Amino acid sequence: MPPRPNKKRRVADKQAAEEVVSKKLKAAASAALAIDGQALVQFVDPDGKIAGPQLDVPLGTSKEQLGTLLNQLLENAEEMPYSFHLEETEITSNLAASFGKLASQSTERVLNITYYPLAVFRVRPVTRCTSSLSGHIEAVLCVAFSPDSTKLASGSGDSTVRLWDLNTELPKHTCKGHLNWVLAVAWSPDGSRLASAGMDKIVLVWCAQSGKNLGALRGHTQPVTCLCWQPLHVAEGDSFPLLATSSKDAAVRIWDTSVGVCLRSLTSHSQPVMQIRWSGERPDIGGVVYSAGRDCVIKVWNPKDGAMLNELKGHGHWVNTLALNTDYVIRSGPYSHEPAKFKDLAEKKEAAKKRYAEAIELCGGERLLSGSDDFTLFLWRPLVSKTPVCRMTGHQKIVNQVAFSPDGRWFASASFDKSVRLWDGRTGKYVHAFRGHVGDVYQLAWSADSRLLVSVSKDSTAKCWDISRRKLLEDLPGHADEVYAVDWSLDGARVATGSKDRLLKIWRH
C-alpha cells in the first residue's frame, strides 16, 4: 500500500497557492486602480520649451491618444508622429506603465512628458541580398551612395573606383587612375562629382555621369585618410563646394576642384590626421572644418583664411572617428527621400539651406562626436565651449566608428569589443548595447528615418537593429570574409556592403 502524503504538507501547499492567487488579485486590482487615476501632465520639447497648458489626463491614456493631444496643442495641420518619454522611460503602451517605473509615484506633482518628433515616412528593414556585384579583384574598402540615391561608388585594394547603376544593379564605369589602395570615396553634395583618395597620396575627382577623370589633386606627401566636401549651403556665391582632405603627413588641405588647386594647407597637427568633418555652421566663413588624428587633439579651423579657431583636448589616445549630428543633411544636400528635380546649382543651394535649417532646429544645435583608441567617446559643442558636453565610457576596446542618426536623436558607436552601443544624441547618456556580432565591428549606417541601424563586422555578417525595440531585427550573412564597409541609401531602399571577399552586396526589403 503506497504511503499517504503528509497532511501538514498538503495544508501548507494549499495555503501557499492561495497566497499566490491573492497576491495576483491584489496586483491586478492595484493596476486597475492606477489606470483609473488621473495625472497632471505638461508636454515639453527636448530643449525644455513648454507646449500648451498643463493637462489633467487619465493614467490609462495611450501613446496614440497622447499623440493626438500633442498635435492639437501644436496646431499641426496634419497629424505628425512623436515618441514620448516620462523621465528616463519611453511611453510604449500607456501612461500608467511608465508611471509605475518612476521613483516617486505621486499624482500630485506635474509630470513632464518630453516629446521627440519622428520621421513621417518609414524605412523598411533590409532582409535579403538582391545583387552580388563582382568586378573588383581585391578587397572592397569603401562604399558610398550618391545623394540622390541613383548611383553607388566603391573603392578597392585593386586601385580602382567603380560606379554602379542602381536601377539595373549593374556596373556603369570603372575609374582607373590610382596607383594603390583606394581608402575613401566621397560624393559632392549636389551629386555631380565624386572624389577618391588613398595610399598613393593623390586625390582624384570624377564626373558622376561619365566616370571621366576631372583632375588629380597633388600635394600630400603621405597616404590620404579622409575626404570631406564643403556643405552646399555655405559654398561661396555661385561657386562649387570646396573639398577638404586629411593625410598621414599631418596636414589638412582645402582644394578648389573646379581648377584643381590647393587653396589652404592647414598644418599644426603633430601626427597623422585620420578624420575631418566640415560643419554647416558659420556660413560667413564658409563653414568650419574639424580635424583629428593621432596627436589626440581635435582642431577647429576657419577654411576662409586657414586660421585655427580652437583646440579640443580630452582623449588619451588616437582619435579614430568624428561625426556631426548634421552629417546626414550635409551629405544629402538638397535631396530628401522624395524624388526632386532642380534647375541649377543655385536652386540646389537654396533647398540645401532650408533642409539644414530644419535639421538644426530638430536636433537643437550642432554637436560633434569623437571616438578613440582610449575606448571612450566625447560629445562636444565646439563653437560654444572648449569643454566637452560629456565623456562616455563603456566600450572594452577601441572605438572604430561613431554615427549620429539623421534626426540627431541618437548616436551609435562601433567597437572592436564586438558590440554596438546606443547613446542619447543630446546628453550622451548611455541607452543600450547591441550584442550579436562575434567579431570586431567595423562600420555603421543609419536608415533615413532613424528607426534602424545596420552594422558590419569581421565575422563576415551585416546585422540590422531595431532602435525602438532595442533588438536584432535581421541577421544578414552572405559574405565569405570580413565586411569592411557599409552605407544605407538616403532614400532608405538599399544597403550596400563591401567585403574582403572582393564582392559588393546590395540588400533590400
Side-chain angles (χ1 to χ4, degrees):
M1 197 172 165
R4 290 177 67 189
N6 185 327
K7 192 176 177 184
K8 278 185 181 173
R9 202 176 71 201
R10 275 188 305 169
V11 171
D13 287 349
K14 192 178 175 187
Q15 283 175 336
E18 282 172 355
E19 274 178 29
V20 169
V21 171
S22 73
K23 272 184 185 171
K24 281 184 178 174
L25 286 169
K26 276 182 188 169
S30 65
L33 277 172
I35 290 192
D36 285 345
Q38 296 281 120
L40 266 179
V41 299
Q42 174 70 68
F43 287 109
V44 292
D45 73 2
D47 294 324
K49 286 187 201 140
I50 289 167
Q54 293 175 2
L55 302 171
D56 191 9
V57 298
L59 277 171
T61 307
S62 69
K63 182 185 170 183
E64 289 72 25
Q65 289 167 324
L66 288 173
T68 307
L69 263 177
L70 180 62
N71 275 288
Q72 285 171 354
L73 288 174
L74 297 176
E75 297 176 0
N76 292 334
E78 54 185 287
E79 192 144 317
M80 306 295 282
Y82 295 94
S83 69
F84 300 98
H85 294 252
L86 195 57
E87 287 183 11
E88 300 304 320
T89 54
E90 186 172 351
I91 300 169
T92 50
S93 54
N94 57 32
L95 197 52
S98 302
F99 180 72
K101 294 175 188 171
L102 296 183
S104 64
Q105 295 174 17
S106 163
T107 51
E108 300 299 311
R109 67 190 182 103
V110 178
L111 303 174
N112 278 351
I113 297 178
T114 310
Y115 64 90
Y116 293 88
L118 297 173
V120 181
F121 63 99
R122 267 189 179 277
V123 171
R124 296 192 295 181
V126 287
T127 53
R128 64 201 169 93
C129 174
T130 57
S131 298
S132 283
L133 308 176
S134 58
H136 284 298
I137 54 171
E138 285 293 338
V140 181
L141 303 175
C142 48
V143 296
F145 283 101
S146 63
D148 59 3
S149 303
T150 59
K151 291 179 279 297
L152 173 69
S154 59
S156 162
D158 63 10
S159 314
T160 67
V161 173
R162 281 177 175 255
L163 295 176
W164 310 84
D165 185 339
L166 291 178
N167 293 323
T168 56
E169 297 190 353
L170 290 169
K172 200 171 182 188
H173 304 291
T174 302
C175 307
K176 293 180 179 174
H178 284 291
L179 308 170
N180 209 326
W181 297 357
V182 180
L183 299 176
V185 289
W187 291 91
S188 64
D190 70 329
S192 67
R193 295 178 197 183
L194 176 78
S196 62
M199 296 294 284
D200 61 1
K201 312 165 195 172
I202 304 165
V203 181
L204 295 179
V205 181
W206 312 90
C207 172
Q209 290 305 322
S210 64
K212 193 171 142 244
N213 187 343
L214 298 177
L217 310 175
R218 299 170 195 274
H220 284 298
T221 57
Q222 288 291 319
V224 180
T225 53
C226 190
L227 302 162
C228 199
W229 289 90
Q230 184 180 24
L232 195 58
H233 68 279
V234 296
E236 212 169 299
D238 301 328
S239 58
F240 195 76
L242 305 174
L243 176 70
T245 58
S246 65
S247 163
K248 287 192 175 179
D249 63 10
V252 174
R253 285 176 178 261
I254 292 172
W255 309 84
D256 184 337
T257 57
S258 302
V259 289
V261 296
C262 176
L263 302 175
R264 308 259 176 289
S265 185
L266 314 175
T267 54
S268 93
H269 281 286
S270 56
Q271 294 281 324
V273 185
M274 304 310 288
Q275 279 280 306
I276 43 171
R277 281 291 177 274
W278 202 318
S279 155
E281 288 198 301
R282 297 287 307 272
D284 55 315
I285 57 170
V288 176
V289 175
Y290 302 112
S291 62
R294 294 188 177 171
D295 57 2
C296 316
V297 180
I298 301 165
K299 292 182 186 273
V300 186
W301 305 92
N302 174 345
K304 202 167 191 177
D305 60 10
M308 189 172 77
L309 301 172
N310 217 334
E311 274 189 332
L312 309 175
K313 294 179 179 176
H315 283 295
H317 210 309
W318 297 353
V319 181
N320 296 320
T321 173
L322 293 176
L324 288 166
N325 59 352
T326 51
D327 273 344
Y328 174 85
V329 76
I330 286 171
R331 196 186 129 191
S332 54
Y335 298 101
S336 67
H337 64 284
E338 293 168 343
K341 289 268 185 283
F342 300 99
K343 282 204 305 269
D344 52 14
L345 192 63
E347 205 171 286
K348 286 181 180 177
K349 279 186 183 177
E350 203 48 53
K353 188 176 182 180
K354 189 180 167 200
R355 289 192 70 228
Y356 181 81
E358 285 169 4
I360 279 288
E361 194 179 339
L362 180 63
C363 60
E366 201 163 68
R367 287 170 181 76
L368 177 74
L369 181 63
S370 55
S372 161
D373 268 21
D374 63 9
F375 313 168
T376 69
L377 301 98
F378 276 86
L379 187 63
W380 310 86
R381 296 289 303 270
L383 301 181
V384 176
S385 166
K386 274 172 102 165
T387 53
V389 176
C390 73
R391 174 176 181 264
M392 291 147 281
T393 58
H395 280 297
Q396 308 298 309
K397 289 191 178 175
I398 72 170
V399 180
N400 195 50
Q401 201 206 2
V402 291
F404 273 97
S405 62
D407 63 3
R409 170 82 183 89
W410 312 105
F411 59 84
S413 55
S415 167
F416 283 11
D417 65 8
K418 306 172 190 171
S419 76
V420 174
R421 285 176 182 255
L422 183 69
W423 316 78
D424 186 286
R426 287 167 184 261
T427 62
K429 191 172 181 300
Y430 167 74
V431 177
H432 187 71
F434 294 109
R435 300 187 190 278
H437 284 295
V438 292
D440 303 351
V441 185
Y442 290 142
Q443 278 203 347
L444 304 165
W446 284 88
S447 65
D449 65 351
S450 306
R451 290 183 176 100
L452 304 168
L453 176 72
V454 71
S455 58
V456 296
S457 161
K458 188 178 182 174
D459 65 12
S460 82
T461 69
K463 293 191 190 311
C464 183
W465 309 93
D466 185 319
I467 297 303
S468 60
R469 289 188 286 173
R470 316 266 195 270
K471 66 174 198 175
L472 177 67
L473 206 56
E474 295 291 339
D475 198 4
L476 307 170
H479 281 293
D481 213 328
E482 304 180 26
V483 189
Y484 290 140
V486 65
D487 196 18
W488 203 317
S489 67
L490 304 177
D491 64 358
R494 297 173 177 84
V495 167
T497 54
S499 164
K500 194 177 176 180
D501 66 5
R502 309 192 288 277
L503 289 178
L504 265 164
K505 283 185 183 286
I506 304 282
W507 308 84
R508 301 176 73 173
H509 181 73

